[in-house]
Amino acid sequence: MHPEVYILIIPGFGIISTTISASSNKSVFGYLGMVYAMMSIGVLGFVVWSHHMYSVGLDVDTRAYFTATTLIIAVPTGIKIFSWLATCYGGSLHMTPSMLFALGFVFMFTVGGLSGVVLANASLDIAFHDTYYVVAHFHYVLSMGAVFALFSAWYFWIPKILGLDYNITMAKVHFWIFFIGVNVTFFPQHFLGLQGMPRRISDYPDAFAGWNLVSSFGSIISVVATWVFLNLVYHQLVEGKPVSRYPWLTPQFYTDLLQSLLSRSYNSLEWALNSPPKPHAFVSLPLQSGVSKSLPHLTNKYKTLIYAISIPILAGLIIFCSIRFPGNWFASQLQTPLIKFIISVIAPMFTLAIICFMRGQESPKITRLLLIGFSALFVTLVGYYFWNYISWWINLFIALPSIVSDLVKDISHQYAHVKGSPDLNSNNSSVKLINH
């Protein structure tokens, strides 16, 4: 039983996070905390198994340990529940069928989790063990929680899988009938468990007949809901109309549906493909990267190339102006302490903006303005303070041809002079020098 039941619900957690985020038009609240909560549930699921064995004669220390670990596993679960609710809070909610089933999952899993906290206590479980209270508990977290997550995933991704839409109204009718049916079926079983009705026994005393009748009515309602779902799937396959790449796309402010479809800025890669996707959608592994919204038609490498070329050119022009006209406005303003202070403050922000653009992340507007404006001032300051060093090298390279030419002429002149001079060791040369 463990850790299977905890591992089994983890895919459902991922489904609910995806559908609630998409239907709320905002990112999941506390993403990092949600990841650590899921990891904690996966780890703690391995150390709670004996809460099924409180009645076999465990010693008091063992019962205390497993009670504590089972109660602790409720903490990351609660983190996920409240993070989902916080994602809905302040979002632009769209009550699609997948969103309804996701919210139904949150309710079911919360009820099942609360009864699980009750059963985690060894003293109470001695009384509730093998009663219908346990049946109600694991049906709320699995037969209702996990199944509602699966239905949420079905209604969210089946248009993408089949390429056909379905009747939204019938899907909502399916949710409400199914929601009512499963609650009418399993909620009375809490009362039967509190009254002491044992599980795994085919018959029961007449004292339990009332709530069993209500539970049976609820199961009939659930069968009707299942028929509605199968009928919906049949009509989707027979009468469904083709859907777009992302049927749940909602345009944001300052845009419309056509612009959103053309930009193809989706939250996940599958929505950028046709519906249904081709068997081999990509020749090579796709690279999904963030492109600045101000340059939607450029890829990351072209945007980086533009900045890598334009910024040095702009800085070079400013340095050239300060060098060519040393008495101009740039040179005079760079001497003021205020400009020096501003540039020294903006320099780290300029570096951060460059890193953000190189990584393909969306930078704030103020960072983009500082990147273009103050980067030029920063480079100008560097060029001004190192002008003496730079000018020495510039003059060297400018004068290098003339220096080499003069050096060659000097060497050739000296060589010619030595070649045409008299030989001092010969007798004739000594006579000529005496006569001279």
Side-chain angles (χ1 to χ4, degrees), residues 230-308:
L230 295 177
N231 184 64
L232 183 146
V233 174
Y234 171 78
H235 283 286
Q236 180 184 10
L237 294 173
V238 174
E239 302 173 357
K241 297 179 181 179
V243 296
S244 62
R245 289 186 175 90
Y246 191 12
W248 313 117
L249 178 64
T250 302
Q252 304 299 317
F253 292 111
Y254 309 111
T255 184
D256 56 23
L257 183 60
L258 181 60
Q259 291 177 346
S260 300
L261 289 173
L262 291 177
S263 66
R264 299 193 181 187
S265 56
Y266 306 120
N267 296 326
S268 185
L269 190 61
E270 72 268 21
W271 304 116
L273 304 175
N274 294 327
S275 299
K278 298 178 181 179
H280 299 282
F282 300 98
V283 178
S284 60
L285 289 178
L287 175 62
Q288 186 175 13
S289 58
V291 181
S292 173
K293 294 179 180 179
S294 61
L295 302 172
H297 58 285
L298 296 177
T299 61
N300 248 5
K301 63 176 182 179
Y302 293 124
K303 184 182 67 174
T304 304
L305 183 63
I306 289 174
Y307 282 99

Side-chain angles (χ1 to χ4, degrees), residues 89-306:
Y89 180 77
S92 178
L93 299 182
H94 296 272
M95 289 302 172
T96 59
S98 60
M99 182 62 166
L100 290 176
F101 275 97
L103 294 178
F105 168 88
V106 172
F107 172 78
M108 304 291 185
F109 201 78
T110 302
V111 174
L114 292 175
S115 60
V117 170
V118 173
L119 292 171
N121 296 276
S123 56
L124 289 173
D125 189 71
I126 295 297
F128 293 146
H129 183 74
D130 265 346
T131 67
Y132 262 81
Y133 195 91
V134 178
V135 176
H137 158 68
F138 67 72
H139 277 83
Y140 259 88
V141 294
L142 282 180
S143 296
M144 299 159 72
V147 169
F148 268 61
L150 292 176
F151 274 121
S152 179
W154 174 274
Y155 285 118
F156 187 69
W157 277 293
I158 197 61
K160 170 60 65 175
I161 296 172
L162 297 180
L164 303 171
D165 66 350
Y166 54 83
N167 192 324
I168 301 294
T169 304
M170 287 301 296
K172 293 181 180 180
V173 170
H174 168 229
F175 165 75
W176 287 112
I177 297 178
F178 193 56
F179 182 81
I180 294 171
V182 293
N183 277 284
V184 173
T185 300
F186 293 107
F187 200 82
Q189 295 179 8
H190 291 96
F191 308 143
L192 292 172
L194 291 173
Q195 292 173 3
M197 178 178 173
R199 58 185 292 213
R200 295 172 176 167
I201 295 178
S202 60
D203 199 5
Y204 50 85
D206 292 341
F208 302 135
W211 287 121
N212 274 281
L213 181 63
V214 175
S215 184
S216 298
F217 282 144
S219 65
I220 296 174
I221 297 174
S222 300
V223 171
V224 174
T226 304
W227 177 86
V228 172
F229 171 71
L230 295 177
N231 184 64
L232 183 146
V233 174
Y234 171 78
H235 283 286
Q236 180 184 10
L237 294 173
V238 174
E239 302 173 357
K241 297 179 181 179
V243 296
S244 62
R245 289 186 175 90
Y246 191 12
W248 313 117
L249 178 64
T250 302
Q252 304 299 317
F253 292 111
Y254 309 111
T255 184
D256 56 23
L257 183 60
L258 181 60
Q259 291 177 346
S260 300
L261 289 173
L262 291 177
S263 66
R264 299 193 181 187
S265 56
Y266 306 120
N267 296 326
S268 185
L269 190 61
E270 72 268 21
W271 304 116
L273 304 175
N274 294 327
S275 299
K278 298 178 181 179
H280 299 282
F282 300 98
V283 178
S284 60
L285 289 178
L287 175 62
Q288 186 175 13
S289 58
V291 181
S292 173
K293 294 179 180 179
S294 61
L295 302 172
H297 58 285
L298 296 177
T299 61
N300 248 5
K301 63 176 182 179
Y302 293 124
K303 184 182 67 174
T304 304
L305 183 63
I306 289 174

Side-chain angles (χ1 to χ4, degrees), residues 53-64:
M53 303 169 59
Y54 285 141
S55 60
V56 302
L58 299 177
D59 61 275
V60 65
D61 294 331
T62 304
R63 283 181 289 168

Side-chain angles (χ1 to χ4, degrees), residues 22-84:
S23 300
S24 300
N25 270 341
K26 59 183 292 191
S27 301
V28 178
F29 179 87
Y31 178 82
L32 186 62
M34 296 281 272
V35 173
Y36 281 115
M38 196 176 297
M39 293 173 59
S40 301
I41 292 171
V43 172
L44 292 174
F46 285 87
V47 294
V48 295
W49 74 91
S50 284
H51 63 214
H52 296 281
M53 303 169 59
Y54 285 141
S55 60
V56 302
L58 299 177
D59 61 275
V60 65
D61 294 331
T62 304
R63 283 181 289 168
Y65 162 74
F66 282 102
T67 297
T69 55
T70 308
L71 291 174
I72 288 172
I73 206 172
V75 175
T77 308
I79 290 174
K80 299 190 74 65
I81 293 293
F82 285 109
S83 295
W84 287 323

